[in-house]
Amino acid sequence: MPTGLAYSTVILVWATTPLGIKWSAEAGAPIGSVMLRMGIALVVGAIILLLMRKPFRHDRRALVSYACAVPGVFGAMALSYQASQTLPSGMISVMFGMAPLISGVILQALPGAIRLQRWHWLGCALGVVGLAVIFINSLSLGGAEQLMALAMMLGAVTLFSGSGIAVQRAAAGLHPMVQTVGALALSMPFFFMLWISSGEPLSIPLSTRGFWAVLYLALFGSVIGFLCYYLILSRLHAATVALVTLITPVLALTLGMLLNAESPSLPMLVGAALILIALGAYLFGDRIGRRSQ
């Protein structure tokens, strides 16, 4: 696949995933919807592995790598789908845009990690301010549900970031599709147990667009988007790849307003803008600093 097409695919998939989550869970069954999505993705991924003739590894290092991915697949997705019942889709994308900042902070507690510089800490501080603006706005409006949803999203992004670091440190050398299928297979029992205990209907209710959203997320969000992301990671400079996390929240906010009649409050948009500025400072502060010298 051409690099430009893969890069565009990642941007498109990441920008549309929050809206897909919102639509797939709009019938009131977020856990059933995400379980169905991951189940379809697991089947499709297994078929792709067979067609690629890639053996599925089940040695100790591979199993550890799959287990490290479970918090990012099960934990982050279950919380995100639950939060989608309250939050605008664009805000879900903005919160996930904080993943590089949270990853950087987590790495400071681990041995062998690169120490953060002053522009990194400036980015983290701005990100905290942006989050505070969003949280205070929700609190002032008396939105306890929205406040809880924001806390869920913060937990989801933290799990996603920590899981990614754990998979990287496991260093099992797995093909991306093998890693994906293994992580999904290990996560499915947790999704099933959560679904059974959630009290949701055993027949998963889906609207028409919710049904298509589940299929889209299963095929593109969980399979094609993942493969394209790893492809551009192997071909492009890290800074170029990092631009995706700056572009997608803006697109997601726009799509939410245009396609889902979402209207985030002004303080929420200010907080989102601060988070995006924080992300820019974190990712590209070193380059700006070198140019100014």
Side-chain angles (χ1 to χ4, degrees), residues 68-139:
C68 288
V70 169
V73 176
F74 167 68
M77 287 298 100
L79 287 172
S80 298
Y81 270 72
Q82 195 64 49
S84 73
Q85 302 289 285
T86 304
L87 289 181
S89 61
M91 191 51 55
I92 295 173
S93 182
V94 169
M95 294 293 286
F96 263 106
M98 291 194 65
L101 281 72
I102 294 175
S103 295
V105 173
I106 292 173
L107 282 169
Q108 299 311 291
L110 301 176
I114 297 175
R115 299 295 100 182
L116 294 183
Q117 303 299 318
R118 61 180 179 276
W119 58 83
H120 293 133
W121 289 114
L122 173 62
C124 291
L126 282 173
V128 170
V129 172
L131 270 181
V133 170
I134 294 170
F135 272 79
I136 291 171
N137 176 63
S138 299
L139 191 61

Side-chain angles (χ1 to χ4, degrees), residues 259-277:
L259 301 180
N260 207 46
E262 296 175 358
S263 53
S265 65
L266 181 59
M268 189 171 283
L269 290 176
V270 170
L274 284 171
I275 289 173
L276 294 179
I277 293 171

Side-chain angles (χ1 to χ4, degrees), residues 158-174:
T158 302
L159 286 173
F160 177 79
S161 302
S163 177
I165 293 170
V167 170
Q168 190 177 45
R169 295 216 160 198
L174 298 170

Side-chain angles (χ1 to χ4, degrees), residues 37-59:
R37 166 191 171 178
M38 297 306 176
I40 295 171
L42 175 59
V43 172
V44 172
I47 292 172
I48 292 175
L49 277 185
L50 287 174
L51 294 176
M52 293 173 64
R53 297 185 179 180
K54 286 282 184 184
F56 182 75
R57 281 178 50 185
H58 46 77
D59 55 275

Side-chain angles (χ1 to χ4, degrees), residues 1 5 17-18 21 47 51 74 77 92 100 110 122 129 164 169 193 203 210 218 223 236 239 246 250 268-269 279 282:
M1 179 185 289
L5 178 59
T17 290
I21 290 174
I47 292 172
L51 294 176
F74 167 68
M77 287 298 100
I92 295 173
L110 301 176
L122 173 62
V129 172
R169 295 216 160 198
M193 287 187 291
S203 56
V223 179
L236 298 176
L246 279 172
V250 177
M268 189 171 283
L269 290 176
L279 189 57
Y282 183 89

Side-chain angles (χ1 to χ4, degrees), residues 21 24-25 29-41 73-74 76-82 184 188 191 194-195 200 204 206 214 217-218 222:
I21 290 174
S24 64
I31 305 304
S33 298
V34 67
M35 185 186 69
L36 182 60
R37 166 191 171 178
M38 297 306 176
I40 295 171
V73 176
F74 167 68
M77 287 298 100
L79 287 172
S80 298
Y81 270 72
Q82 195 64 49
L184 287 170
M188 283 307 296
F191 280 118
L194 182 61
W195 178 56
E200 292 183 5
I204 302 170
L206 292 172
V214 168
L217 292 173
S222 300

